[in-house]
Amino acid sequence: MQIHVVKSKIHRVKVTGADLNYIGSITIDEDLMDAANIIEGEKVQIVNNNNGERLETYAIPGPRNSGEITLNGAAARRVAPGDILILITYAMMELEEAKNFKPAMVFPDEETNLLR
């Protein structure tokens, strides 16, 4: 049996931008992506702590050490700059493997979104 488990989590990052006219996705500082083991194009669940919205999109890398967290396309309507988000990715794995799996958990600086 395979189950979905949390693979990566970036906890409490601040939205820096919302670009309605971009094709789609979430732009994430590439340093945060690396720290959380998130790859370009990977599906990301977004939880908005400010308004309770939950949505899914895919990750694209933003400039390193920029702290950028920008929602693009239609998702831009579900956030406002300054909102606090939790970003989560999941993986499928066998139950026994999942029992020992440790997800990548990242807790960036809440003001700058930079790694501490």
Side-chain angles (χ1 to χ4, degrees):
M1 169 177 44
Q2 289 199 325
I3 62 170
H4 283 203
V5 297
V6 173
K7 179 183 90 52
S8 309
K9 180 178 179 182
I10 301 175
H11 189 76
R12 295 187 61 86
V13 287
K14 188 181 298 184
V15 174
T16 60
D19 185 353
L20 184 60
N21 295 311
Y22 192 83
I23 294 170
S25 67
I26 181 171
T27 304
I28 304 170
D29 178 323
E30 196 165 5
D31 286 341
L32 292 174
M33 288 179 64
D34 288 348
N37 195 26
I38 297 172
I39 64 167
E40 184 173 358
E42 186 170 358
K43 182 170 143 179
V44 178
Q45 181 182 42
I46 300 162
V47 180
N48 187 327
N49 281 3
N50 291 76
N51 63 19
E53 291 277 358
R54 288 178 174 257
L55 63 123
E56 293 178 343
T57 189
Y58 60 93
I60 60 171
R64 288 189 179 279
N65 201 37
S66 66
E68 181 176 359
I69 302 291
T70 301
L71 274 289
N72 303 303
R77 293 197 183 275
R78 315 264 304 266
V79 301
D83 282 359
I84 301 298
L85 308 179
I86 298 170
L87 310 178
I88 308 165
T89 66
Y90 299 89
M92 292 281 298
M93 59 185 70
E94 295 295 328
L95 180 61
E96 290 306 311
E97 180 185 6
K99 288 179 180 179
N100 296 311
F101 179 77
K102 301 293 184 228
M105 300 287 196
V106 178
F107 300 89
D109 181 278
E110 289 187 34
E111 290 303 311
T112 65
N113 291 341
L114 300 177
L115 296 172
R116 297 178 190 195

